[in-house]
Amino acid sequence: MDYRNKSLEDIEKFWAEEAKGIPWFKHWEKTLVWDEPFAKWFQGGTTNASYACLDVHLATEKKNQVAYYWEDEFGNTRTYSYLQLHAEVNKFASALKKLGVKKGDIVMMYLPMIPELPIAMLATTRLGAAHSIVFSGFSSQALADRIIDTEAKVLVTADFGLRRGKYIDLKTIADAAVKLCPTIKNVVVVKRGPAGQEIKMEPGRDVYYHDVLKTADTYVECEQVEASNPLYVLYTSGTTGKPKGIVHCTGGYMVYAKSTFKWVFNPAPDSIYWCTADIGWVTGHTYIVYAPLAAGVTSFMFEGSPDYPGIDRWWELIAKYKISIFYTSPTALRMFMKFGAAPILKHDLSSLKLLGSVGEPINPEVWTWYFETIGKNRCPIVDTWWQTETGGILISPAPGGELVPLKPGSATMPLPGIDAAVVDDTGKEVENGTRGFLVIRKPWPGMLMTIHKDPERYKQVYWSRFKGIYLAGDYAIKDTDGYFWLLGRADETLKVAGHRLGTAEIESAAVSMPFVAEAAVVGVPDPMKGEEIVLFAILRQGNEPTEENRKKLSAGIRTLIGPIAVPKEIHFVGKLPKTRSGKIMRRILKALATNTGIGDVTTLEDATSVAEIQKTYEEMKAQMGKK
Ligand code: WTA
């Protein structure tokens, strides 16, 4: 506690000390320039993320240490030492340079979980350019929307991805996206599909990764970039239909990534670390690539599903690679819980020392199961709360700093340098034990710089509700011991199996179908996925609420966003409950979806008459065939 409180007395002094953890070509002049709400950390300093992750280790004993072990679903393996990874990154950086990539550019990546993804990221940052990665489960339209926003000239993709033993034709999806994106001049394709399976390559535009390496130089000098140089743009869902391009900088982000990794995961020189996230999401960016590499840790990277070919696949891998630090999501844990302990007991998990959880609230039962069944009552669990916007973990137990007693279901306390609080509608701190909005009251080095091309939206979304205070968008309770309990989103954002989706995004996909007039989405609790999507739609005249239309609507959403956004239930209704000002009353929809009754509607702000709501509710219920 003292350590934490002390760090907040003078955050600049505190972070200036932490910044010594990464290499700088030129020392910064000012630790923080706070032009509210725009932060410039380590102004005047120059660094490079690729240098901080790779070159820095080459003069040490880490040079020949493994950076990544990698395995795919078929059991194919690859291993890269820091030296080998450095060599691969340099070659690909040279290839990208020859394709014209330079500082100020954004390189798009649409890749499965193969080593070429971190290689491409580090090659891009080596040149001082930024990357923008699109999760390979997103559709071509979602990929195209993001490419259009970044105006990228180069896309790196693969011929195939792998999912449950089947090859997914990524290149065809990428081609459909690129067709809509005139800025793309080159598509670099990593060949990893089955031998002999050729894909279509567009002459003059598409080049194979292995071909461009043939003419590449073996070394490329790192671009010495200012601390605020964008490292990446990662799109995430918000409360409108348009995803937000979250921009992270180089210097502050790298400092934050490395320090938080050290505090939370407490790596030892012989640790083998496995984060099961996909690099397409922020957890993979920070805690598969930048943080563990900057910390010089050995990681394991897996391309595959947790339950394929067997439900014990992950536990087999933990035993095989002697994983000591394991970082996963509550959704995965809930699935394993369902299958019982037998598949786990088959494997020797004695190498495990620390367990982590991320992405959604972990319920105390799941926490306890994780602690007992996986950790055998001897591994601390770090329940890590953070967001795409925060760059790294903000609230979590910190075994590498000062470990407080754990409470199942609580992410415990803010990390050093993080001034988190729970406030009411007016921004006033609530009494301990009361629910409120989670806010961060002081800037931190990992924070987003802005929303790509939309600084106004950045100001409005995060900083307008409470002046000078970052609004996280989550509900939380701080208990009387000062522990934080994260209670899920306070806005129209969903967390489905840990994936962040906006209700507005799904609604706008639905209404873009010619037969849909209006749509409303709500998240309903799901015992496995945390939340599930339920969609209510009003059909345009002349269309019937048939199974066929339901299927067409699902397929449409799949095409526009991706399989993760497909609703669990679709209800065709005659009207939607709305306030006088036309706002959809999601509370009513939630009640309908969960069949729980609407409760007290008199408190609904700006509501139509109570009788009217009640009537709409009853009508809709009847239409849905619910009693
Ligand atoms: C939720 C993922 C409870 C939260 C790193 C947040 C959590 C959103 C936790 C960000 C946790 C993340 N406990 N809720 N340990 N971690 N969340 O941007 O609602 O995909 O606002 O970043 O996930 O999701 P994102």
Side-chain angles (χ1 to χ4, degrees), residues 11 263 271 434 564 589 619:
I11 54 161
W263 295 327
S271 292
T434 310
I564 53 171
L589 295 176
E619 277 171 20

Side-chain angles (χ1 to χ4, degrees), residues 234-237 246 281-284 287 327 330 357-362 382-390 392-393 395-396 409-411 438 470 472-475 485-491 493-495 498-501:
L234 179 58
Y235 287 83
T236 191
S237 299
I246 304 299
W281 308 106
V282 76
T283 304
Y287 295 109
Y327 189 30
S357 170
V358 62
E360 14 159 8
I362 178 164
V382 290
D383 173 8
T384 65
W385 178 88
W386 61 296
Q387 310 176 297
T388 305
E389 291 88 340
T390 68
I393 299 162
I395 305 178
S396 169
S410 165
L438 178 67
Y470 173 81
D474 277 39
Y475 284 125
W485 298 77
L486 286 314
L487 307 174
R489 299 290 307 189
D491 57 11
T493 306
L494 308 178
K495 271 286 170 142
H499 300 321
R500 185 164 157 186
L501 290 162

Side-chain angles (χ1 to χ4, degrees), residues 537-602:
I538 302 178
L539 289 165
R540 278 182 198 277
Q541 243 172 10
N543 294 283
E544 295 302 317
T546 57
E547 195 47 41
E548 197 196 328
N549 274 336
R550 198 167 280 132
K551 280 200 185 122
K552 253 167 63 185
L553 184 46
S554 282
I557 293 170
R558 181 185 292 265
T559 311
L560 289 171
I561 308 177
I564 53 171
V566 173
K568 179 182 165 201
E569 285 175 27
I570 294 179
H571 300 289
F572 291 123
V573 292
K575 74 187 218 193
L576 290 167
K578 286 189 188 158
T579 61
R580 279 207 190 92
S581 60
K583 225 176 138 211
I584 289 169
M585 293 154 81
R586 287 174 203 279
R587 201 175 116 182
I588 308 281
L589 295 176
K590 259 192 192 189
L592 282 161
T594 50
N595 209 8
T596 47
I598 41 177
D600 181 9
V601 284
T602 53

